[in-house]
């Protein structure tokens, strides 16, 4: 298990655990980030900026922080996907 | 004709809810006026034949556990717990056919409320274009309620939906999951419904392609800078002719009034107190409208969410998140539209911190003041051989203002608005062409909204200022010219007494009573400083025939000039901004706090500058 922000763009992950601020966790879950969901890191903004995630047919912008810790498991790595 | 019932329009963000609301109600909409509500929902009427019903457009939600003030309102109204907004008779849920999991999860919670529900499904055209399909009849049989496919931007399916709204025999849905079901269970149920009703079709290649460019670390940043440059350019250049037009119109109106009212005091009251005071704020209407059109276009076409993604890291340095940059950017035109656009920030704390930073962005009303004072006190020389010193000072004032505003936001986030931060978490809507009709209707709404504020709070303030500057009436019979008469009037007004009375407060920063009076009179609007200084120094101008800038150049010592400039960088001398702040935050506490913070900063800055130079 590893943290979402530690993985490179192009990685497909399975969400394992979401912790942090209660309202942030709830919002993340409402947006579809629930344990077991498979999603792909589309791209990462430079300098530790937010991450673009593809979940189902939706796209999310998300910045993991102390208030929102997302643990994931790597499913597969597709390096050609990211730009 | 009175509306027979009220239907709440509800949906997750980015489903095309406002476009649909605009299509359904057209011009028959207004800002709902409910006591004690800061987030004012839109109310619109739908009439067909002899029947009329009322729609209330509630802020977007993902579920019935609210995270922001906007969402709290929606949840309270739906649960029938709101103090002043009555419980609706039915709920119209707006669902996006291409991305419907979250909408169905929301439905699973709304179905348990016991209210009649119908679903309007948007983007059915786009799902067909992608080679997919949406089966509204199967969904109708699965959920047991009315399902209405619509294409909001083209008006398709709107007639049927309007008919259903006025007919009003909607079903109360059965609960679809257990009351205490977890989000996991709700998503699983949503997936079952989607599997039986929707073929999603091909991926939205346009969005993937545009994201590749617009979110690219280099290309994306370049496009962002270009968009922002265009933004600035349009707020300043495109608005200028319109603002000049309004200015001329106000002047014309004042001229007509001036000729037709014989009583001097009544004439002064109507010309300066009513028309002049309110007019000086209405002049900003073009900038407010252009800013709002641009924000709406950027939001509807899907770029705003991407822009927030791009700047999120930089805003994070100041404890703010990506969405805060729109209000701050807008405030370079005028803090009023800036504060109004802060509604797009869902987190209460972030919104407050952003609103508190807006008055420090250099608004266009400061520009004429800076131009006059820089021209008067900064020598017209060049540094490094080619940079104009005056231009460099002007640029640094913009920079100092912006940086100070961001630091205030940071300080507030570290103290008052500490904890419970909502981390940056945003849904990227697919790129699409904005609906012109919807944007037009939003504009009309915003204009009405702004004019209402200008006609009430701002009118009251400008009458107050008129009383201060124009009463008691002086005997101006001895005056040699109208300008001289103005000077005599202002020197004998309550404002002059006040200026002299509080001048000792400003003495340590180098202001004499005349500058104090100029600063006081500019509380209506900063650019009033120029006309006030013109009136106060009227006799000098009259005698030497030199422009005001040269008079000030001779009258003002260098350090006093800098001290005034420093004061204008910080001080919140704008009653309209404070009035809007009160309206948007629902309490006088925030404008009072902003006034206090900026006044202390202004005083300290002026004091330092005055004693350093």
């Amino acid at each position: 298990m590893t943290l979402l922000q530690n993985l490179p763009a192009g990685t497909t992950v399975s969400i394992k655990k979401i912790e942090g601020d209660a309202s942030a966790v709830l919002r993340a879950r409402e947006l579809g980030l629930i344990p077991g969901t498979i999603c792909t890191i589309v791209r990462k903004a430079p300098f530790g900026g937010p991450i673009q995630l593809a979940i189902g047919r939706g796209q999310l912008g998300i910045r993991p922080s102390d208030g929102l810790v997302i643990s994931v498991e790597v499913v597969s790595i597709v390096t050609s996907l990211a730009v | 004709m009175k509306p027979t019932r009220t239907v709440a329009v509800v949906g997750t963000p980015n489903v095309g809810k406002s476009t649909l609301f605009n299509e359904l109600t057209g011009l028959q909409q207004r800002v709902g006026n409910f006591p004690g509500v800061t987030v004012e929902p839109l109310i619109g009427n739908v009439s067909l034949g002899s029947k009329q019903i009322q729609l209330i457009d509630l802020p977007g939600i993902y579920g019935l556990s609210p995270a922001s003030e906007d969402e709290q309102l929606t949840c309270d109204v739906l649960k029938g717990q709101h103090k002043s907004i009555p419980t609706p008779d039915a709920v119209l849920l707006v669902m996006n056919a291409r991305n419907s999991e979250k909408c169905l999860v929301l439905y699973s919670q709304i179905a348990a409320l016991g209210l009649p529900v119908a679903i309007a499904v948007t983007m059915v055209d786009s799902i067909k274009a992608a080679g997919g399909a949406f089966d509204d009849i199967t969904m109708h049989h699965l959920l047991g309620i009315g399902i209405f496919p619509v294409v909001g931007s083209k008006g398709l399916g709107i007639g049927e939906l309007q008919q259903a709204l006025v007919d009003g025999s909607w079903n109360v849905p059965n609960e679809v999951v257990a009351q205490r079901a977890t989000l996991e269970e709700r998503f699983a149920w949503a997936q079952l419904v989607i599997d039986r009703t929707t073929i999603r079709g091909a991926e939205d290649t346009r969005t993937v392609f545009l994201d590749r460019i617009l979110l690219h670390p280099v290309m994306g940043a370049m496009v962002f800078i270009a968009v922002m440059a265009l933004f600035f350019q349009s707020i300043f250049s495109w608005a200028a002719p319109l603002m000049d037009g309004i200015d001329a119109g106000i002047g014309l109106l004042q001229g007509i009034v001036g000729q037709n009212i014989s009583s001097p005091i009544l004439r002064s009251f109507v010309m300066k107190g009513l028309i002049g005071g309110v007019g000086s704020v209405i002049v900003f209407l073009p900038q407010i409208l252009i800013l709002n059109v641009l924000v709406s276009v950027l939001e509807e076409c899907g770029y705003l969410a991407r822009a927030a993604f791009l700047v999120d890291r930089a805003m994070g340095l100041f404890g703010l998140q990506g969405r805060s940059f729109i209000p701050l950017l807008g405030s370079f035109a005028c803090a009023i539209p800036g504060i109004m656009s802060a509604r797009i920030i869902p987190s209460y704390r972030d919104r407050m911190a952003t609103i508190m930073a807006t008055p420090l962005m250099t608004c266009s009303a400061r520009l004429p003041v800076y131009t006059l004072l820089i021209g008067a006190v900064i020598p017209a020389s060049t540094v490094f051989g080619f940079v104009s010193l005056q231009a460099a000072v002007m640029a640094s004032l913009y920079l100092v203002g912006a940086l100070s505003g961001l630091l205030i936001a940071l300080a507030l986030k570290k103290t008052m608005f500490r904890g419970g931060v909502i981390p940056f978490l945003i849904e990227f809507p697919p790129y699409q062409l904005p609906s012109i009709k919807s944007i037009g209707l939003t504009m009309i709404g915003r204009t009405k909204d702004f004019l209402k504020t200008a006609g009430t709070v701002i009118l009251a303030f400008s009458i107050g200022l008129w009383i201060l500057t124009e009463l008691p009436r002086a005997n101006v019979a001895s005056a040699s010219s109208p300008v001289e008469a103005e000077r005599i009037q202002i020197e004998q007004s309550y404002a002059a007494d006040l200026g002299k009375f509080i001048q000792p407060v400003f003495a340590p920063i180098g202001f004499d009573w005349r500058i104090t009076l100029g600063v006081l009179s500019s509380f209506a609007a900063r650019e009033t400083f120029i006309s006030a200084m013109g009136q106060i120094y009227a006799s000098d101008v009259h005698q030497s025939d030199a422009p005001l800038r040269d008079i000030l150049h001779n009258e003002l010592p260098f350090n006093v000039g800098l001290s005034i400039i420093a004061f204008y960088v910080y001080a919140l001398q704008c009653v309209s901004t404070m009035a809007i702040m009160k309206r948007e935050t629902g309490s006088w506490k925030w404008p009072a706090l902003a006034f206090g913070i900026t006044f202390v900063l202004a005083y300290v800055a002026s004091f330092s500058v005055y004693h350093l130079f």
Side-chain angles (χ1 to χ4, degrees):
Chain A
M1 225 164 50
T2 174
L3 293 178
L4 180 67
Q5 62 267 38
N6 296 339
L7 294 167
T11 316
T12 298
V13 298
S14 165
I15 305 283
K16 286 292 154 203
K17 212 162 53 178
I18 301 187
E19 295 156 304
D21 189 71
S23 63
V25 171
L26 175 65
R27 175 48 42 86
R29 285 162 54 81
E30 284 173 342
L31 285 168
L33 287 172
I34 47 180
T37 307
I38 308 285
C39 51
T40 303
I41 302 178
V42 181
R43 57 174 61 78
K44 299 171 82 177
F47 310 114
I51 294 168
Q52 185 184 0
L53 275 186
I55 303 185
R57 286 303 173 90
Q59 304 275 330
L60 293 183
I62 186 167
R63 178 153 53 105
S65 62
D66 293 347
L68 188 61
V69 183
I70 303 172
S71 312
V72 298
E73 209 152 76
V74 176
V75 175
S76 68
I77 298 175
V78 187
T79 42
S80 62
L81 186 81
V83 178
Chain B
M1 191 160 58
K2 256 184 93 72
T4 48
R5 58 192 204 124
T6 302
V7 177
V9 185
V10 179
T12 58
N14 301 317
V15 288
K17 187 165 65 72
S18 353
T19 307
L20 180 66
F21 179 81
N22 283 332
E23 281 295 333
L24 286 171
T25 60
L27 277 169
Q28 293 195 57
Q29 51 174 269
R30 62 188 188 278
V31 175
N33 196 4
F34 302 101
V37 177
T38 52
V39 188
E40 290 164 328
L42 282 173
I43 305 279
N45 289 338
V46 178
S47 20
L48 223 55
S50 59
K51 288 183 183 162
Q52 186 177 45
I53 63 112
Q54 180 174 270
L55 288 185
I56 176 164
D57 184 15
L58 295 174
I61 48 168
Y62 289 105
L64 292 179
S65 346
S68 76
E69 202 187 346
D70 291 26
E71 297 175 13
Q72 181 77 52
L73 175 96
T74 307
C75 297
D76 285 353
V77 172
L78 288 178
K79 290 177 185 162
Q81 293 167 350
H82 198 278
K83 291 189 298 293
S84 52
I85 304 176
T87 315
D89 300 300
V91 177
L92 176 65
L93 181 70
V94 187
M95 179 182 294
N96 175 343
R98 294 209 75 177
N99 192 359
S100 45
E101 289 98 333
K102 291 182 274 284
C103 310
L104 284 165
V105 167
L106 177 60
Y107 172 80
S108 75
Q109 301 186 33
I110 285 179
L113 288 170
L115 291 170
V117 181
I119 299 182
V121 185
T122 61
M123 306 272 286
V124 281
D125 55 336
S126 121
I127 207 164
K128 276 180 195 148
F134 171 74
D135 183 352
D136 54 315
I137 297 164
T138 301
M139 187 174 272
H140 166 69
H141 288 136
L142 280 176
L143 305 182
I145 55 165
I147 307 289
F148 300 91
V150 291
V151 182
S153 57
K154 298 197 185 92
L156 299 175
I158 298 295
E160 288 89 332
L161 183 52
Q162 283 175 327
Q163 189 64 51
L165 281 164
V166 295
D167 285 350
S169 51
W170 291 8
N171 296 340
V172 179
N174 296 323
E175 284 189 37
V176 291
V177 289
Q179 189 103 40
R180 296 195 160 273
T182 61
L183 269 171
E184 283 83 348
E185 287 161 347
R186 291 177 195 275
F187 268 102
W189 172 80
Q191 196 55 56
L192 281 177
V193 175
I194 292 168
D195 287 347
R196 298 179 63 177
T197 56
T198 315
I199 300 167
R200 311 257 205 159
E203 193 176 21
D204 184 353
T205 44
R206 182 174 58 178
T207 294
V208 173
F209 172 74
L210 284 173
D211 269 353
R212 204 166 280 177
I213 297 168
L214 297 177
L215 294 178
H216 188 273
V218 180
M219 281 188 285
M222 277 158 54
V223 172
F224 176 77
I225 291 168
V227 169
M228 290 308 115
L230 183 76
F231 205 86
F232 246 105
Q233 175 73 11
S234 54
I235 291 169
F236 285 107
S237 330
W238 302 352
L242 293 169
M243 294 172 81
D244 290 345
I246 292 179
D247 232 359
I250 291 164
L252 206 66
L253 194 62
Q254 284 177 318
I256 294 168
V257 169
Q259 280 166 5
N260 290 310
I261 299 179
S262 51
S263 152
I265 181 160
L266 193 62
R267 184 169 62 214
S268 162
F269 177 71
V270 175
M271 279 174 71
K272 291 183 183 163
L274 300 184
I275 304 175
V278 173
S280 67
V281 178
I282 290 187
V283 159
F284 291 105
L285 187 61
Q287 281 188 336
I288 290 169
L289 285 187
I290 289 178
L291 182 78
N292 275 309
V293 168
L294 289 172
V295 172
S296 309
V297 168
L298 289 179
E299 186 169 17
E300 289 214 4
C301 74
Y303 186 69
L304 207 57
R306 272 81 180 182
F309 179 86
L310 288 174
V311 297
D312 178 68
R313 184 74 196 89
M315 298 302 287
L317 295 175
F318 300 101
L320 297 174
Q321 57 145 295
R323 295 180 206 235
S324 298
F325 88 102
I326 286 287
L328 294 178
L329 190 78
S331 302
F332 280 100
C334 175
I336 296 169
I339 291 169
M340 281 162 71
S341 62
R343 291 176 189 176
I344 61 169
I345 305 170
S347 142
Y348 174 78
R349 292 183 173 88
D350 280 3
R351 182 162 64 224
M352 287 302 164
T354 308
I355 286 176
M356 299 299 274
T358 52
L360 279 134
M361 304 300 127
T362 301
C363 67
S364 48
R366 281 187 177 101
L367 197 58
V369 178
Y370 285 175
T371 312
L372 173 75
L373 289 172
I374 288 177
V377 298
I378 307 289
S381 60
T382 54
V383 284
F384 308 124
F386 64 95
V387 180
S388 150
L389 184 61
Q390 292 185 339
V393 170
M394 182 72 93
S396 59
L397 294 180
Y398 269 83
L399 212 65
V400 167
L403 208 59
S404 310
L406 288 170
L407 289 173
I408 287 184
L410 180 63
L412 287 172
K413 287 288 300 232
K414 292 263 178 221
T415 53
M416 285 186 76
F417 302 126
R418 203 187 171 83
V421 208
I422 299 187
F424 181 72
L425 201 51
I426 198 169
E427 233 187 320
F428 288 157
Y431 290 102
Q432 56 188 357
L433 285 174
S435 148
I436 293 168
K437 181 177 173 187
S438 176
I439 288 175
L441 287 167
T442 309
M443 284 313 95
I444 293 169
R446 280 294 163 95
T447 309
K448 280 192 203 158
D449 216 19
F450 175 71
L451 290 179
K452 206 174 94 188
T453 313
T456 50
V457 189
I458 293 169
L459 179 67
F461 271 105
S462 64
I463 291 174
L465 270 157
W466 176 83
I467 292 171
L468 277 180
T469 50
E470 299 289 324
L471 296 179
R473 298 305 289 175
N475 178 14
V476 293
S478 63
S480 55
S481 70
V483 184
E484 175 78 4
E486 298 257 352
R487 184 181 66 83
I488 295 173
Q489 173 58 49
I490 217 161
E491 281 183 5
Q492 294 182 18
S493 66
Y494 293 127
D497 292 341
L498 194 64
K500 284 172 187 156
F501 177 69
I502 66 167
Q503 190 269 334
V505 177
F506 289 101
I509 60 173
F511 294 5
D512 63 16
W513 76 268
R514 296 203 287 189
I515 300 168
T516 306
L517 183 51
V519 168
L520 283 185
S521 65
S522 73
F523 266 81
R526 293 182 180 91
E527 68 274 21
T528 317
F529 178 74
I530 295 164
S531 57
M533 290 313 266
Q535 286 169 14
I536 297 163
Y537 286 95
S539 55
D540 304 272
V541 176
H542 194 63
Q543 279 159 20
S544 62
D545 219 26
L548 180 62
R549 191 189 63 210
D550 296 344
I551 300 289
L552 288 178
H553 179 69
N554 296 329
E555 293 267 339
L556 291 181
F558 182 63
N559 58 356
V560 176
L562 286 184
S563 169
I564 305 174
I565 293 177
F567 195 81
Y568 272 86
V569 169
Y570 288 102
L572 175 47
Q573 292 157 293
C574 182
V575 287
S576 323
T577 299
M578 290 167 68
I580 290 284
M581 235 184 211
K582 191 259 158 184
R583 228 206 54 174
E584 294 290 314
T585 61
S587 145
W588 280 110
K589 188 170 100 184
W590 302 109
L593 181 69
F595 182 82
I597 293 175
T598 54
F599 185 81
V600 169
L601 282 175
Y603 198 87
V604 170
S606 293
F607 186 84
S608 323
V609 166
Y610 180 61
H611 288 276
L612 274 173
F613 290 93

